[in-house]
Amino acid sequence: MAGFALMMALPQAGAAEPKAEQSLVLDELIVTTTGFGTPRATHTGNIAKIGEFEMEFIRPAQPAEALNRLPGVGIQQGSGAEHLTAIRSPVLTGGAGAGSFLYLEDGVPMRAAGFANVNALMEAMDEISGGVEVIRGPGGARYGSNAEHGLINFLSRPPAPDGDAELTLWGGPHDFYRTSGTASRTLRSGDSTTHGFRGSFAMLHDGGFRADSGLEQQKARLRYDYAAFDTRITATLTAVNTNQETAGFVRGVKAYKNPALYRGNPDPEAYRDAWAVRTAVRMERDIGENLMLVLTPYARSNAMDFLMHFLPGKPVEKNAHWSGGLLSSLVTTLDGGHRIIFGLDNEYSDGWLTEIQYNPTAGTAPNQSPQGVHYDYAVKALVLAPYVHSEWRLAPKTLFTAGLRFEYTRYDYQNYAPVGISGRFLRIPDRVDEFGDFTPKIGLLHEFNEGLTTYVNLARGTRAPQTTDLYRLQRLQVPGEAKSEELDSIEVGARGRISGVTYETNLFYMEKRNYYFRDAGGFNVTDGRTDHAGIEIELSAPLAFGFDIAAAGTYARHTYAFTNITPSEKIRDGDDVDTAPRTLGNLRLGYNFNEGAGRAELEWVHMGSYWMNAGNTVKYDGHDIFNLRLDYEVSENVVLFGKLTNIMNTRYADRADYSDMGMGEERYFPGADRGLYMGVTLRY
């Protein structure tokens, strides 16, 4: 966990980019590394960024549309706002999908670590954005549980120095409408003190291209910035509401290509309703010439209610939690450009979950999922985490970083359902569980010249078990057997600019222990092991006559490192993990015209083939999608834009899965048809 940058003291990173240029910028400032503006070129390890103006140009219907432009990222969109994430990993589900990635807003986690959300991006406000930064692999000593496979930091847009206002309206097929707006004002006093205010909102209505589906979302944020000679404050308040009519899997061989199936919805009763409110105040105070104290108190509340249409019996889950904490750090700068950050993060959470099946299970194995209460429990959680992060300038062009974090997690569980086994569900008596995890990180960076900077990074990422890992047990499991996942990583990378081509590339290898997941039979595995190795590249270059090109590519293998043979699934050491495409790619050809007033971009999105089951017997063939975007500034106050998605009207699957659970069938979330979206932005 980390704080946000002092946005009033440093220029916004995205604002340094020309409006029409969508490129890899090595001298832009990033804030996720240390919480302060640091040049991307000297970041010891990988980091990717989508700046404010690029986010405006993409105008993603859902965050995955933008994030999948980055190397190593493969987010699979489900129905509405639902999705599953992969960052240097297979696409992970359940507790693994929720707990393996850390989602931040201005450096503060959007949820409590043990109560993560597998659909966490639905709680982000990316419509009015200051940019997004992504670290692939372990987040390092400054970040705690869930920064295991990677982290995504959504930056709120700061107030403009001279004030601004804008309103955007756009629409598309299937009754898609989105409205967003923002306005800011900055006041200055005679003693160089500034007060900045920004208010933003976004509203979405999407009728859905499949039967009995649709999505409604409302989001709002207030931000206040204060800057004086020795004090800086940034405060945010964000609220998000989601109401979704969910379309479930279509089932059958290549069902996503079947005209009679892919627009249908076998689960018309499915829904998901959720809301989230969070606030944080980052306060920086210079307490000496080279000493600064940073305090970030925060609070948040979340609730969700949804039909688990993907499980036998289709139970209803309701969950909620409130949480609060304090991120604190002491930053000291030493002679020679060295810097040390001493930190202490603490957090308290109080949450509950119920899972109730209101109807008998139809079809196979009704005794496995009986009607009635499956789970009903509450959990109070405490997290304490001291850490140290240091940067040492060994030579003018050589930087060494080292850090260590210890994280103590305590769960106090109370059960309100009858103790014992009901079908495949195990309800256990009240208990307390404690975990202690160390996450070290060391890195070395050397700048040879403008064309070549290299780095090597060794890091460990961990996650204490999710509360659902520990207390949503299956029969045959032993309470307390779930351990903290550990992932050890090494990466070697290079970045620079050669003959006008800006690039960043790296090789990585990771080993994960205590991998906790649900197998094809619906039962939890607590002691899995996986290996992960690959190469990633990101580059951009200007071309002649106003053209430019940018690309991101990944080749990786994610394999099981253990054997687990059951009647429903055969996992063998060395086999590919399911839903782990070896290749991901994104290629964009851009064209700036009319002296930069307009920009067009043709995008190719590649998803490689992958196994749909752990036994490596059923495969999705992958797909290639083409999109076209156009932006034109009619005047200083009016911008027209549009995009044509899936130009070739390709039949593809956003997600392909194979379920045993007594049925043994292919399941798909079909991708949308060709779609034309158009809109206008009015600025003042």
Side-chain angles (χ1 to χ4, degrees), residues 371-536:
Q371 186 176 1
V373 176
H374 296 170
Y375 302 101
D376 183 0
Y377 63 78
V379 182
K380 296 179 174 61
L382 175 67
V383 177
L384 299 173
Y387 69 87
V388 60
H389 172 86
S390 62
E391 301 175 350
W392 305 93
R393 184 66 63 179
L394 304 184
K397 301 292 185 178
T398 304
L399 182 67
F400 175 75
T401 63
L404 178 65
R405 180 187 186 92
F406 173 73
E407 187 158 295
Y408 167 77
T409 303
R410 183 182 191 274
Y411 294 132
D412 187 347
Y413 159 82
Q414 293 179 298
N415 175 50
Y416 300 111
V419 172
I421 295 174
S422 175
R424 75 167 187 269
F425 309 107
L426 171 62
R427 287 84 65 103
I428 60 175
D430 299 354
R431 58 182 286 130
V432 171
D433 292 280
E434 297 176 300
F435 303 89
D437 299 301
F438 286 96
T439 50
K441 180 176 182 178
I442 59 173
L444 183 67
L445 176 142
H446 181 73
E447 181 183 354
F448 289 92
N449 50 53
E450 184 186 47
L452 179 62
T453 296
T454 62
Y455 59 84
V456 60
N457 223 1
L458 289 86
R460 170 171 292 178
T462 67
R463 72 170 184 94
Q466 294 288 292
T467 55
T468 52
D469 296 342
L470 292 169
Y471 310 122
R472 204 175 197 167
L473 299 181
Q474 309 281 307
R475 62 181 175 85
L476 306 182
Q477 283 188 266
V478 178
E481 66 180 346
K483 304 178 181 66
S484 293
E485 281 189 3
E486 292 183 350
L487 184 146
D488 290 329
S489 167
I490 180 171
E491 72 172 347
V492 179
R495 62 172 69 99
R497 185 179 293 107
I498 301 176
S499 300
V501 178
T502 305
Y503 71 93
E504 178 167 336
T505 186
N506 55 71
L507 296 164
F508 68 88
Y509 176 75
M510 307 188 300
E511 293 182 349
K512 182 163 68 172
R513 298 173 295 281
N514 304 324
Y515 174 36
Y516 190 106
F517 65 99
R518 179 169 290 183
D519 67 14
F523 292 94
N524 294 326
V525 178
T526 61
D527 56 353
R529 300 173 70 96
T530 56
D531 295 335
H532 313 263
I535 181 171
E536 300 163 337

Side-chain angles (χ1 to χ4, degrees), residues 38 159 240 307 311 330 355 450 478 555 663 672 676:
T38 304
V240 178
L307 183 75
L311 293 181
L330 189 65
E355 180 184 317
E450 184 186 47
V478 178
Y555 177 84
M663 294 176 285
L676 176 63

Side-chain angles (χ1 to χ4, degrees), residues 58-202:
I58 301 168
R59 291 183 176 87
Q62 293 294 334
E65 186 179 344
L67 293 168
N68 285 342
R69 294 161 72 101
L70 303 177
V73 179
I75 298 169
Q76 294 188 344
Q77 198 67 41
S79 178
E82 294 180 352
H83 60 276
L84 294 171
T85 298
I87 303 176
R88 268 194 192 173
S89 71
V91 173
L92 298 174
T93 63
S100 298
F101 314 102
L102 183 61
Y103 302 90
L104 308 147
E105 180 179 74
D106 292 344
V108 178
M110 293 195 293
R111 274 191 165 228
F115 301 83
N117 177 10
V118 73
N119 297 291
L121 293 176
M122 71 166 56
E123 297 174 357
M125 187 172 179
D126 60 302
E127 294 84 352
I128 306 295
S129 174
V132 185
E133 296 179 351
V134 178
I135 292 177
R136 307 180 298 278
R142 298 191 64 251
Y143 300 95
S145 255
N146 301 15
E148 185 183 18
H149 275 283
L151 63 87
I152 303 175
N153 190 11
F154 292 88
L155 310 179
S156 64
R157 187 182 298 183
D162 298 319
D164 66 353
E166 68 177 46
L167 177 67
T168 298
L169 304 97
W170 56 298
H174 315 296
D175 294 324
F176 178 97
Y177 304 105
R178 170 170 281 170
T179 302
S180 60
T182 186
S184 74
R185 186 178 183 186
T186 298
L187 306 176
R188 298 175 177 83
S189 60
D191 59 354
S192 300
T193 298
T194 61
H195 301 267
F197 306 86
R198 178 176 293 279
S200 306
F201 77 93

Side-chain angles (χ1 to χ4, degrees), residues 586-643:
N586 187 285
L587 178 66
R588 305 178 301 276
L589 177 65
Y591 174 60
N592 300 317
F593 59 94
N594 198 18
E595 298 181 345
R599 177 173 176 82
E601 180 187 271
L602 179 63
E603 178 186 40
W604 168 39
V605 181
H606 168 74
M607 169 68 73
S609 63
Y610 55 84
W611 295 109
M612 296 164 58
N613 62 341
N616 289 188
T617 61
V618 185
K619 178 177 280 190
Y620 174 65
D621 295 331
H623 59 256
D624 296 279
I625 303 299
F626 295 89
N627 305 310
L628 179 66
R629 296 181 177 88
L630 179 66
D631 221 39
Y632 186 73
E633 190 173 294
V634 178
S635 69
E636 184 179 352
N637 305 112
V638 180
V639 177
L640 300 178
F641 60 88
K643 60 181 177 180

